Amino acid sequence: MEITNVTEYEAIAKEKLPKMVYDYYASGAEDQWTLQENRNAFARILFRPRILIDVSKIDMTTTVLGFKISMPIMVAPTAMQKMAHPEGEYATARAASAAGTIMTLSSWATSSVEEVASTGPGIRFFQLYVYKNRKVVEQLVRRAERAGFKAIALTVDTPRLGRRESDIKNRFTLPPNLTLKNFEGLDLGKMDEANDSGLASYVAGQIDRTLCWKDVQWLQTITSMPILVKGVLTGEDARIAIQAGAAGIIVSNHGARQLDYVPATISALEEVVKATQGRVPVFLDGGVRRGTDVFKALALGASGIFIGRPVVFSLAAEGEAGVRKVLQMLRDEFELTMALLRHSQTFISLPRGSVWKMEITNVTEYEAIAKEKLPKMVYDYYASGAEDQWTLQENRNAFARILFRPRILIDVSQIDMTTTILGFKISMPIMVAPTAMQKMAHPEGEYATARAASAAGTIMTLSSWATSSVEEVASTGPGIRFFQLYVYKNRKVVEQLVRRAERAGFKAIALTVDTPRLGRRESDIKNRFTLPPYLTLKNFEGLDLGKMDEANDSGLASYVAGQIDRTLSWKDVQWLQTITSMPILVKGVITGEDARIAVQAGAAGIIVSNHGARQLDYVPATISALEEVVKATQGRIPVFLDGGVRRGTDVFKALALGASGIFIGRPVVFSLAAEGEAGVRKVLQMLRDEFELTMALSGCRSLKEITRNHITTEWDTPRPSARL
């Protein structure tokens, strides 16, 4: 088969390479949204071609940092190229030189700076990570300079390695026949197999998390080579880079391998270009697969682009010849694009919006296991939403439309995720939402969840429709627990429930206010949902409230219709305060108007919730409603978010929009179904780890440093180009 475009090399590489190696090169972080978006964003930029212009002669030459090259297409640093082909970086260096362009050598190369220099003349840059051992950094820089390298590309977006789940599943490590050649003879340990990823463990042990802007200035004291700052995505950091003496900026999201849900580099480019005001050149790295992409980047202000994956895939397929062909194809396509047009106009908009494997690497994967293990009636009860389930999908999709604006070169060696909720200190702003009837998922039900939340140092909220009573949950051991409450027609029942919860040591009431009637959950109607006969709603044993029997539509719907008080109003929030000293959180607020009334009614806090999209369909996603509610409270009471959280990135987004913390529901019950208490513990740990990583990669050391400026949403007005 004849290769006619750069992208076709990836399929060949996938066939030829071991799975571990291909996945290392090809995959991105977490959900890989940004990996796809790096390409998709180019497709949303359209051309405005001009006509009747003499294009008989096309000049693609340019000058980068004083060095003349044949075209504005350069080779990005990609690590460990001998995994792709025995000649590795040697072949890439020769191909770049033959094309008359720049090659950037990764400091994690499988060929040393001296070996690459020995391949012959060429303009080469050296990519650098800053190690804890600064003497190692000095040695690397000086060796590169002696070997004739012309610039340093300082990677600044890797205080920790992004969560690359393919590498975790594959237990990625460098094959034993290869070494990181630049570090031979240096005491930096080896990249051995680890419990997750050998590379992640290596980075955690060696890379300096205290790296900050002053280190850019320090580097200038040990080398005369110009320094390109690689990993800038915001105008703010572009301006600081100039002040720190950077000779240029590379707009990069690390090939979408670090923080997921950051913008595509082409989407971030123009903001960065405007912020520099022409004082330093700006380059783009990420997503380029066509000559048309090169033109689009230059039209938005880039001085040139770098390509990474196309180089390594063509290297795997055909060695040096493949890399030469990739550079030639992009050159030819770019020349043709120049000939066919002279201007472009951008039309950029944010788009709308797993199968279980042996190792669970993210929260979402538990749902497939739960679906396999649970009876259909039970799975559908937990998983489904109301009516068309638009809000159910939107609760997730809306998070994907919020992008990050990460800050760089901030010392993130210490991350503090602790926070205080209603006076109670917890380990992280991730708490357990009330989910009903958990013993349908696992025999230990709420017992297991309570122990897992306590072990994680966070809050569990017990549903009043639990299959374990408040007393039974309290007996599992110490822990901070809230009690979710519906208001029944029989107010004596309400008083009994509240007082029992208070006696059992529960610390707050989460009053559900969005359920005067049960939403139309069509799966429950089809399945004739009812509580299995071997289970009971434990908090109501001995109370005259009837049973949840099978009905013509849904046993639960009939039960709610018969028992829940539809006259519930704001005065009842005040009445509750007369029967308990526990603070009351109002759960189910999604408008600013109701937030203000909740404050007036004496609520201690608000939970922005649409009941897991199980009540009224076509209400906004909770993350979309959050900022309005936060603004309405004016900081008088804390606001929390419930609904749609599946990633640590989601937690960060909620906090950036003003939430004091978030609650998770379905991830808990699905992991409980899959692995019992161990599953719930793992879900809480995974979200904690992802959130900590997001904080580190966004440049935040504590929750108070998470600000609205760290994200951009679809409802934001365009940011003005800022000035120094």
Side-chain angles (χ1 to χ4, degrees):
M1 181 184 73
E2 182 176 1
I3 302 297
T4 56
N5 65 70
V6 162
T7 307
E8 291 176 349
Y9 274 117
E10 182 169 355
I12 303 172
K14 188 173 185 179
E15 282 183 12
K16 294 186 74 166
L17 294 174
K19 184 177 185 299
M20 179 188 77
V21 174
Y22 170 77
D23 285 352
Y24 170 76
Y25 291 136
S27 64
E30 297 195 351
D31 296 331
Q32 304 189 106
W33 183 88
T34 297
L35 182 68
Q36 301 302 315
E37 178 67 359
N38 269 356
R39 286 298 305 135
N40 294 341
F42 274 106
R44 296 195 299 273
I45 300 173
L46 305 184
F47 291 119
R48 300 179 66 247
R50 302 299 303 276
I51 57 172
L52 291 175
I53 296 170
D54 181 354
V55 289
S56 57
K57 294 187 183 300
I58 301 288
D59 180 12
M60 291 180 287
T61 61
T62 188
T63 300
V64 173
L65 301 182
F67 300 99
K68 188 170 183 180
I69 56 177
S70 67
M71 57 184 173
I73 303 166
M74 298 165 282
V75 175
T78 50
M80 310 178 234
Q81 292 185 16
K82 285 187 178 177
M83 294 195 303
H85 189 275
E87 288 211 306
E89 295 85 1
Y90 287 74
T92 301
R94 289 193 296 262
S97 180
T101 193
I102 292 165
M103 174 204 180
T104 313
L105 181 70
S106 169
S107 56
W108 291 347
T110 40
S111 308
S112 69
V113 289
E114 294 84 3
E115 290 170 334
V116 168
S118 74
T119 62
I123 306 164
R124 299 178 184 115
F125 294 171
F126 180 63
Q127 177 274 330
L128 179 70
Y129 294 103
V130 174
Y131 282 74
K132 293 175 182 176
N133 185 339
R134 293 302 173 93
K135 289 183 179 177
V136 168
V137 177
E138 291 186 36
Q139 285 181 273
L140 289 172
V141 169
R142 289 176 176 144
R143 283 171 57 197
E145 195 161 10
R146 283 197 304 270
F149 284 69
K150 303 304 183 186
I152 294 292
L154 176 66
T155 296
V156 295
D157 58 4
T158 314
R160 292 176 57 176
L161 204 71
R163 187 173 173 82
R164 306 168 189 178
E165 294 178 1
S166 294
D167 290 351
I168 296 170
K169 292 180 189 296
N170 294 330
R171 300 282 196 271
F172 174 82
T173 190
L174 187 63
N177 60 303
L178 297 175
T179 60
L180 300 183
K181 278 285 193 171
N182 286 312
F183 301 102
E184 282 188 342
L186 300 177
D187 185 20
L188 282 177
K190 291 193 299 180
M191 193 190 301
D192 296 320
E193 187 171 340
N195 290 332
D196 50 3
S197 153
L199 182 59
S201 301
Y202 180 78
V203 169
Q206 303 298 339
I207 299 298
D208 192 349
R209 296 184 188 177
T210 71
L211 181 69
C212 61
W213 287 109
K214 71 178 187 297
D215 297 304
V216 178
Q217 296 168 315
W218 167 73
L219 275 173
Q220 295 168 64
T221 69
I222 65 169
T223 182
S224 61
M225 289 186 288
I227 295 167
L228 300 174
V229 177
K230 179 178 181 287
V232 175
L233 288 171
T234 65
E236 296 95 318
D237 282 330
R239 290 187 292 275
I240 298 172
I242 292 170
Q243 292 169 344
I249 287 168
I250 303 176
V251 176
S252 171
N253 53 33
H254 212 112
R257 293 155 68 78
Q258 283 296 101
L259 179 61
D260 203 12
Y261 295 101
V262 296
T265 51
I266 193 66
S267 301
L269 175 61
E270 195 168 25
E271 177 186 331
V272 173
V273 168
K274 287 179 178 177
T276 65
Q277 297 180 326
R279 286 167 293 178
V280 297
V282 177
F283 306 96
L284 178 127
D285 167 49
V288 172
R289 298 295 185 274
R290 287 283 189 185
T292 51
D293 300 335
V294 180
F295 190 101
K296 291 172 183 178
L298 270 61
L300 287 170
S303 294
I305 66 91
F306 289 88
I307 55 167
R309 288 185 176 95
V311 168
V312 83
F313 290 145
S314 59
L315 179 68
E318 295 178 352
E320 181 182 336
V323 181
R324 286 187 180 226
K325 189 167 185 181
V326 155
L327 291 168
Q328 187 62 49
M329 282 191 292
L330 287 175
R331 178 190 177 89
D332 292 345
E333 290 178 5
F334 178 53
E335 183 180 23
L336 180 61
T337 306
M338 288 183 68
L340 294 178
L341 50 83
R342 278 295 182 268
H343 300 283
S344 72
Q345 182 175 0
T346 59
F347 298 91
I348 298 177
S349 60
L350 298 181
R352 288 183 178 266
S354 120
V355 180
W356 177 44
K357 298 181 181 179
M358 286 305 293
E359 181 170 3
I360 301 297
T361 55
N362 65 70
V363 162
T364 307
E365 290 177 348
Y366 274 117
E367 182 169 355
I369 306 173
K371 188 173 184 178
E372 285 182 10
K373 294 185 74 168
L374 293 174
K376 184 177 187 298
M377 179 189 77
V378 173
Y379 169 77
D380 285 352
Y381 170 76
Y382 290 136
S384 63
E387 297 193 351
D388 296 330
Q389 303 189 106
W390 182 88
T391 298
L392 182 68
Q393 300 303 315
E394 179 67 0
N395 269 356
R396 286 297 305 135
N397 293 343
F399 274 107
R401 297 195 298 272
I402 300 173
L403 304 185
F404 290 112
R405 304 182 70 251
R407 303 303 304 275
I408 56 173
L409 288 174
I410 295 169
D411 179 352
V412 289
S413 54
Q414 303 289 328
I415 301 287
D416 180 13
M417 292 180 286
T418 60
T419 189
T420 300
I421 304 295
L422 302 182
F424 299 99
K425 188 171 183 180
I426 58 176
S427 67
M428 58 184 172
I430 302 166
M431 298 165 282
V432 175
T435 50
M437 310 178 234
Q438 291 185 16
K439 285 187 178 177
M440 293 195 303
H442 188 275
E444 289 211 305
E446 295 85 1
Y447 287 75
T449 301
R451 290 193 297 262
S454 180
T458 195
I459 292 165
M460 175 201 179
T461 312
L462 182 70
S463 169
S464 56
W465 292 347
T467 40
S468 307
S469 68
V470 289
E471 294 84 5
E472 289 171 333
V473 168
S475 75
T476 62
I480 305 165
R481 300 180 183 113
F482 295 171
F483 180 64
Q484 177 273 330
L485 179 70
Y486 293 103
V487 173
Y488 282 74
K489 293 175 181 176
N490 185 339
R491 293 303 174 93
K492 289 183 179 178
V493 168
V494 177
E495 290 187 38
Q496 284 182 274
L497 288 173
V498 169
R499 288 176 176 144
R500 283 171 58 197
E502 195 161 9
R503 283 197 303 271
F506 284 69
K507 303 303 183 186
I509 295 292
L511 176 65
T512 296
V513 295
D514 59 4
T515 314
R517 295 175 60 174
L518 204 70
R520 185 172 174 82
R521 306 169 189 177
E522 294 178 2
S523 293
D524 290 351
I525 296 170
K526 291 179 189 296
N527 295 329
R528 300 283 194 271
F529 175 82
T530 190
L531 188 63
Y534 59 91
L535 296 175
T536 60
L537 301 183
K538 278 285 193 170
N539 286 312
F540 301 102
E541 283 188 343
L543 300 177
D544 185 20
L545 284 177
K547 290 192 300 178
M548 192 190 302
D549 296 319
E550 187 172 341
N552 291 331
D553 51 2
S554 155
L556 182 59
S558 301
Y559 179 80
V560 168
Q563 302 297 340
I564 298 300
D565 192 348
R566 296 184 188 179
T567 72
L568 182 69
S569 65
W570 287 109
K571 71 179 186 297
D572 297 303
V573 178
Q574 296 169 315
W575 167 71
L576 275 173
Q577 294 168 65
T578 67
I579 65 169
T580 182
S581 61
M582 288 186 287
I584 294 167
L585 300 175
V586 177
K587 179 178 181 289
V589 174
I590 54 174
T591 66
E593 297 93 319
D594 282 331
R596 286 188 286 274
I597 298 171
V599 173
Q600 293 166 352
I606 286 169
I607 302 176
V608 176
S609 172
N610 53 34
H611 212 111
R614 294 155 69 78
Q615 284 296 101
L616 179 61
D617 203 11
Y618 296 99
V619 296
T622 51
I623 193 67
S624 302
L626 174 62
E627 195 166 29
E628 176 186 332
V629 173
V630 168
K631 286 179 178 176
T633 64
Q634 298 181 321
R636 289 170 289 181
I637 58 175
V639 176
F640 307 96
L641 178 127
D642 166 50
V645 172
R646 298 295 185 274
R647 285 285 190 184
T649 50
D650 301 336
V651 180
F652 188 102
K653 291 171 185 180
L655 269 62
L657 286 168
S660 294
I662 65 90
F663 289 88
I664 55 167
R666 287 184 176 96
V668 168
V669 83
F670 290 145
S671 60
L672 179 69
E675 295 179 352
E677 180 182 339
V680 181
R681 286 188 181 226
K682 189 166 184 182
V683 155
L684 291 169
Q685 187 64 48
M686 283 192 291
L687 287 175
R688 178 190 176 88
D689 291 345
E690 290 178 6
F691 177 54
E692 183 181 21
L693 181 61
T694 306
M695 288 181 66
L697 296 179
S698 298
C700 298
R701 295 162 290 198
S702 65
L703 303 192
K704 68 182 180 184
E705 292 187 357
I706 300 173
T707 70
R708 183 63 169 79
N709 283 333
H710 283 98
I711 60 168
T712 182
T713 70
E714 60 191 329
W715 58 87
D716 289 341
T717 55
R719 294 175 181 272
S721 58
R723 301 176 183 171
L724 282 173

